[in-house]
Amino acid sequence: MATTGYLGPEGTFTHQALINLGIDSEYRPFATVPETLEAARSGVVDAALVPIENSVEGGVSATLDTLARGNGLRITAEVTLPVRFGVYVRPGTAAAQVRRVLTHPHAYAQTREWLIANLPHAEVTEGGSTAAAAVTVADPGSGFDAAICAPIAAERLGLSALAEGVADNPDAVTRFVLVGRPAAVPAPTGADKTTLVAYMYTDRPGGLLEILEQFASRGVNLSRLESRPTKKSLGEYCFSIDADGHLQDPRVAEALLGLHRVCQRVVFLGSYPRADGRRTEIPRGASDDDHDTAHEWLRSLRG
């Protein structure tokens, strides 16, 4: 049976997202995002699921930076998961007894206001993952009274809910991507996304504008654009991009050709179906028919 790696340990939101994705495979947790992606790159697992973006905290740096290296990895699918934390304790623990809370930094950032309002005297410690926090709190000798984590982690460890649905932003969503070694690009569905990384030749006035023009002039919308350090020298950045559309769409293909002409390097990370199924809105002049008509006109001029 195929094996899918994920950012562990068991009980993380990534684990829950993998279950929701419904892949028929064995699941294998890894301790960090780079380890998870390296397992897919090297063939230790057939694919890997990692978080890439959060609607509150933004891009996940470890995922963006590891993918930017572009060495033999492609995104084949995505899944989104509403972020709903809970405050979980050992059975019998009352709110008044909670003095020390353990959680992940992203979870703390998304529940800080709730903690101030409801557990103002509790000391919060940030750890490696929400699932690991649940494991620690399940141990009576740990010194921690409560964990802020996903329900799946608390259920596996027999913790009780002090509060559920805890989130300062009730609409928070995390996006995860399924990554594997390069293979045939999934067929276009009309509701697709293309992810890539663009490296400029030099840092100069208008460099980013030149990249953006490749998309704008061809009617390709960008749903995400983030600058990431190349880690070569201070002030040197690349751009991680999500574009609406598919590699097989003429407008997207032409945008990629334009990027290849003006950039030092372009890393193609995949075209795949959008998790929300929303079809791409194509402006006038950018449809496949518009491209075909224009090419027929040019051929007629050339005789």
Side-chain angles (χ1 to χ4, degrees), residues 86-136:
V87 180
Y88 296 95
V89 297
R90 291 182 295 277
T93 303
Q97 297 173 291
V98 175
R99 290 291 179 265
R100 298 187 68 198
V101 178
L102 182 62
T103 192
H104 184 270
H106 279 192
Y108 181 38
Q110 295 178 63
T111 58
R112 186 179 289 111
E113 293 179 11
W114 187 95
L115 287 165
I116 291 173
N118 295 274
L119 296 174
H121 303 298
E123 173 190 346
V124 180
T125 299
E126 298 177 3
S129 75
T130 55
V135 171
T136 300

Side-chain angles (χ1 to χ4, degrees), residues 28-90:
R28 180 174 173 181
F30 291 87
T32 67
V33 166
E35 286 180 41
T36 309
L37 292 176
E38 180 56 35
R41 194 194 315 270
S42 63
V44 172
V45 296
D46 298 286
L49 190 75
V50 292
I52 191 171
E53 181 184 12
N54 179 270
S55 61
V56 175
E57 295 295 298
V60 179
S61 300
T63 299
L64 297 177
D65 292 346
T66 305
L67 289 175
R69 298 206 301 269
N71 297 325
L73 289 176
R74 292 277 175 84
I75 300 171
T76 59
E78 69 173 10
V79 60
T80 57
L81 186 71
V83 179
R84 298 290 184 271
F85 298 100
V87 180
Y88 296 95
V89 297
R90 291 182 295 277

Side-chain angles (χ1 to χ4, degrees), residues 202-215:
T202 57
D203 182 18
R204 61 179 178 78
L208 176 57
L209 177 60
E210 189 173 45
I211 290 174
L212 296 178
E213 284 176 339
Q214 307 308 315
F215 298 99

Side-chain angles (χ1 to χ4, degrees), residues 176-256:
F176 303 83
V177 289
L178 185 68
V179 180
R181 292 177 297 285
V185 176
T189 66
D192 304 292
K193 186 177 294 183
T194 294
T195 299
L196 56 95
V197 183
Y199 290 80
M200 294 189 300
Y201 276 105
T202 57
D203 182 18
R204 61 179 178 78
L208 176 57
L209 177 60
E210 189 173 45
I211 290 174
L212 296 178
E213 284 176 339
Q214 307 308 315
F215 298 99
S217 62
R218 295 167 175 92
V220 178
N221 181 59
L222 302 184
S223 56
R224 184 181 61 84
L225 172 67
E226 297 186 57
S227 62
R228 295 299 308 159
T230 63
K231 306 186 188 305
K232 293 180 178 179
S233 62
L234 185 64
E236 186 174 327
Y237 287 80
C238 60
F239 297 94
S240 180
I241 299 168
D242 285 338
D244 291 349
H246 191 280
L247 179 65
Q248 298 295 339
D249 298 334
R251 64 188 182 281
V252 175
E254 289 188 7
L256 292 181

